[in-house]
Structures are given as C-alpha cells and as structure tokens.
Amino acid sequence: MKLRKVTAATAAVLALGLTATACGSDDGDGNGSGSSGGDKKITVGIKFDQPGIGQKTPQGYAGLDVDVATYVAKELGYNADQIEWKESKSADRETMLQRGDVDFIAASYSINEERQKKVDFAGPYLLAHQDVLVRADDDSIKSPSDLNSKKLCSVTGSTSAQNVKEKLAPKAQLQQYPTYSACLNGLQSKAIDALTTDDSILAGYASQANFKGKFKLGGFKMTNENYGIGVKKGSDLKAKINTALEKMVSDGSWKKAVDKNLGPAGYKNEPAPKIGDIKS
C-alpha cells in the first residue's frame, strides 16, 4: 500500500514537471512569440564599415540597413535585443546565405541576375546609383570617361568597379581593396584617384565629421542599384520580408530612416521602389 502511494506521488511530480516544461517551451512557429522568446535569436548580415548604411560603432550598430533590418525583424517577431548582427563583406554574402550563417542580409546588397542564381531577394527597398568620390581639390574627373588612366578603387566582390572597367572607362587602373574604408584611406593619401560605389554609400562617407570638405561626389548616375534583402534560395522568408517592407513604407518608417541616415549628407533619395520592381 505504501509502495503504491509513493508511486502515485512520483507520477504526479513527473506530470507536473512535464506540464511546466511544455508551458515554457517555444511554440515552434518561428516568429519569436513563444514564452521563451527571450532566448530566440535571428541572425542578420550587415556591413560594419559603411557610415549611413551599416556601421559598427562603440554605441552599437547604425545606418539605414540596420534600421530596415530591425524593422523587418520586429515584423517577423523578434525584438531588437534578439538580433545577432554579423559582418557581411561583399565577397562573402552569397556564401553566408548558402551555408546558413545568417537568416537574411541587408548590406547595400544590389540585386542582379548573377546573384539571383545563388540566392533570393526581397525588395528592393532603395534605388541608389553608382557614382564616384574624388578629392575636393581634384577637378580632373568631370565625367566617367575621365576615369581612363586613373587609379580607381572599389571592394573585392562589388559590381561597381567592373561596371566602370567594362562599360565606361576600360583603361582605368582598377584597384580592389577588401573594404570601402581601405579605399577611402587610399583616396585620402592619393594612392588612388577615385572611389566608386553607390551614391548612398559615398554620401555616408563624405558626411563624416572628420572628412567634411575633403571629398566630393562626381554626380554621375552611372547605374541603377536596387538594394534588396538577401535570403537563402527557396526560403519562405522572402514573402514575409516583402510584407514587412511594404508596411515600413506605408507607415512612414522608411522615409524617416532614409532622412535620418542619409539626409545629413544632402542625399536626394529616389522614391521608395515597389516590391519586385527592379530598375535596369
């Protein structure tokens, strides 16, 4: 009789334990809304060295891509403190998505056919244009053709330098550095003559307090750069992120983010693009 009482009591304790475990477990819907939501994380790739776009600072992470990614993550069910930020250099982005190192990438990531063979894109969420940044006292570069015979810098894996080299200034001396910051240092030291990438990125660099007055934009709209959010091929996140981006535009958050991050440099942004509308 005593043995049966102990067994029953033990069973009751075990049942209570299992119930408590079930109540505290994740709900499995993948949107971070479970009781243990504080333990859930979403991993997002951004640039760490692009002022105004994506930058790691002593105070945290800042830039348009950071604000866009934070908004999207919230719509997916994640708070800001549940985001794990990972640096996504231009040459590594497709590999990071294919390996599953990140859930999505918002890193001045231009949509093009070659990349679409490897990953999927939500968006676009910004239409930028390729331009050049030169020293403020350099009046020798007034058009893209003037880049012929000049030392032109961009980052490894970027489409910008190849666009110039193949279509606009085939005699340009192409220098590929690992980061735009390295290119900027080369421009300042006169090791290179021009830095080329998207006007949004260049505006961010030119607006930094320590560089004000030292550089200027060429003002060339050489290409259309449709910024998208990269996800793994076939991921259902694409549709969810597109819904979040549409909401961000409609509720005014997108315009606020653009003005906050790029407005100080006098950047004149294009209207918010429609989802799936890729300007060639």
Side-chain angles (χ1 to χ4, degrees):
M1 186 69 176
K2 289 182 179 179
L3 180 60
R4 285 196 297 272
K5 286 182 179 179
V6 172
T7 302
T10 302
V13 170
L14 287 172
L16 286 171
L18 289 170
T19 302
T21 301
C23 290
S25 66
D26 188 273
D27 59 9
D29 64 1
N31 65 4
S33 60
S35 300
S36 61
D39 297 329
K40 290 182 68 66
K41 295 287 183 184
I42 187 166
T43 306
V44 180
I46 58 169
K47 292 292 180 65
F48 277 15
D49 68 334
Q50 289 183 353
I53 301 294
Q55 186 179 26
K56 184 178 181 180
T57 73
Q59 293 75 38
Y61 300 92
L64 176 63
D65 286 348
V66 175
D67 288 347
V68 170
T70 300
Y71 187 100
V72 167
K74 183 178 179 181
E75 290 301 304
L76 294 176
Y78 297 87
N79 298 323
D81 60 1
Q82 293 174 309
I83 302 173
E84 179 183 352
W85 302 104
K86 280 197 174 182
E87 183 175 19
S88 299
K89 294 182 179 179
S90 295
D92 300 333
R93 291 175 296 201
E94 286 83 46
T95 302
M96 291 179 73
L97 288 168
Q98 291 170 335
R99 285 193 313 226
D101 296 342
V102 292
D103 293 295
F104 67 82
I105 290 178
S108 54
Y109 203 178
S110 297
I111 303 170
N112 63 35
E113 290 184 6
E114 191 61 31
R115 289 170 179 165
Q116 286 178 305
K117 294 176 184 177
K118 302 174 183 178
V119 300
D120 285 341
F121 286 95
Y125 62 90
L126 184 74
L127 176 60
H129 303 284
Q130 186 179 345
D131 202 350
V132 297
L133 193 69
V134 299
R135 289 181 293 278
D137 60 357
D138 186 354
D139 295 323
S140 66
I141 301 174
K142 297 179 179 179
S143 69
S145 62
D146 291 332
L147 294 168
N148 282 306
S149 77
K150 298 288 187 179
K151 293 178 181 177
L152 176 68
C153 186
S154 195
V155 301
T156 305
S158 169
T159 58
S160 300
Q162 291 301 328
N163 285 336
V164 174
K165 182 72 175 172
E166 295 173 5
K167 303 174 184 177
L168 302 168
K171 294 181 180 179
Q173 300 174 37
L174 180 59
Q175 309 285 322
Q176 297 193 65
Y177 288 14
T179 65
Y180 291 113
S181 295
C183 282
L184 195 67
N185 290 333
L187 182 60
Q188 187 172 20
S189 67
K190 299 186 178 181
I192 60 170
D193 300 306
L195 160 58
T196 185
T197 187
D198 307 343
D199 53 8
S200 55
I201 298 172
L202 296 174
Y205 281 121
S207 67
Q208 294 180 97
N210 57 321
F211 290 135
K212 280 185 178 178
K214 295 183 178 180
F215 306 113
K216 62 184 179 182
L217 287 164
F220 317 141
K221 290 187 176 182
M222 295 186 283
T223 63
N224 290 328
E225 302 297 333
N226 303 270
Y227 285 7
I229 293 181
V231 298
K232 192 172 185 177
K233 199 76 175 172
S235 172
D236 61 358
L237 276 180
K238 176 180 176 179
K240 295 177 181 178
I241 293 173
N242 278 335
T243 299
L245 292 174
E246 288 175 334
K247 182 178 178 182
M248 188 176 187
V249 172
S250 65
D251 69 14
S253 298
W254 179 87
K255 180 61 175 170
K256 289 180 182 178
V258 172
D259 289 346
K260 181 185 79 174
N261 292 291
L262 303 179
Y267 179 75
K268 299 188 186 318
N269 64 278
E270 300 276 6
K274 292 183 179 180
I275 297 301
D277 183 12
I278 312 298
K279 302 294 185 184
S280 59

